[in-house]
Amino acid sequence: KELDAFRIAYEKANLKLKKYHTKEIYSIRSTILFNLALAYQRQNNDLEAIKIILDEAIPVAKKADDKIEIANLYRFLGLIFYNSDDLIKADQYVYLAIKTLELKVIDNQNYTENLLEFYLFYIEILSQQNKLVDATHYLKKANKILFKYMHIIIYHRFLFLC
């Protein structure tokens, strides 16, 4: 019931915002559409979640020129396919997520942690497909981030635990 209420609210909000055509509104709509897809996915309706992401959320995020949001949408698709044991499609979408993030390097901790998380997820997907050479390549990329930012990540994790 609660997810139905969220889903209905997201659908209404998206519908009301469709008449506006600014980058800011596109950015808000892509987040709304992501949450709508997430609600469908949580209700075990992966097909509707995939449809919303591919047909609406990604095109809207592209209009907002929000590379981080686009990457997160691709990763979400990868996760849906990963959870349904479709490693080939999971591989394709997580790869797209990584390439999208790598196109727009941002010097902040959230970006870095996202990229690291994407690499680690991709390494898992590649390893399960026995693509060990590719997995090693991304493991090296992840290791560079860990080496460069380990002190920051550990410090923030420590603060969170206190």
Side-chain angles (χ1 to χ4, degrees), residues 106-124:
I106 300 170
D107 189 21
N108 76 36
Q109 184 180 339
N110 288 336
Y111 170 85
T112 303
E113 286 183 7
N114 276 344
L115 189 57
L116 178 60
E117 192 177 301
F118 287 22
Y119 285 155
L120 295 175
F121 184 33
Y122 196 48
I123 291 163
E124 184 176 340

Side-chain angles (χ1 to χ4, degrees), residues 14 26 29-42 45-63 68-81 93-94 96-97:
N14 182 51
Y26 290 137
R29 282 189 58 216
S30 69
T31 301
I32 289 169
L33 289 162
F34 172 79
N35 286 313
L36 177 60
L38 187 59
Y40 275 110
Q41 191 260 342
R42 294 258 165 95
N45 191 343
D46 287 349
L47 289 178
E48 188 62 27
I50 292 166
K51 183 176 182 266
I52 289 167
I53 297 295
L54 288 175
D55 294 348
E56 295 183 71
I58 290 173
V60 169
K62 285 181 178 179
K63 287 179 182 178
I68 293 173
E69 181 73 8
I70 295 166
N72 282 317
L73 292 166
Y74 283 140
R75 184 185 62 126
F76 180 62
L77 285 171
L79 184 61
I80 290 173
F81 287 114
Y93 284 110
V94 176
L96 277 173

Side-chain angles (χ1 to χ4, degrees), residues 79-92:
L79 184 61
I80 290 173
F81 287 114
Y82 178 82
N83 288 336
S84 58
D85 293 322
D86 188 340
L87 294 177
I88 293 170
K89 285 186 180 171
D91 182 324
Q92 292 170 344

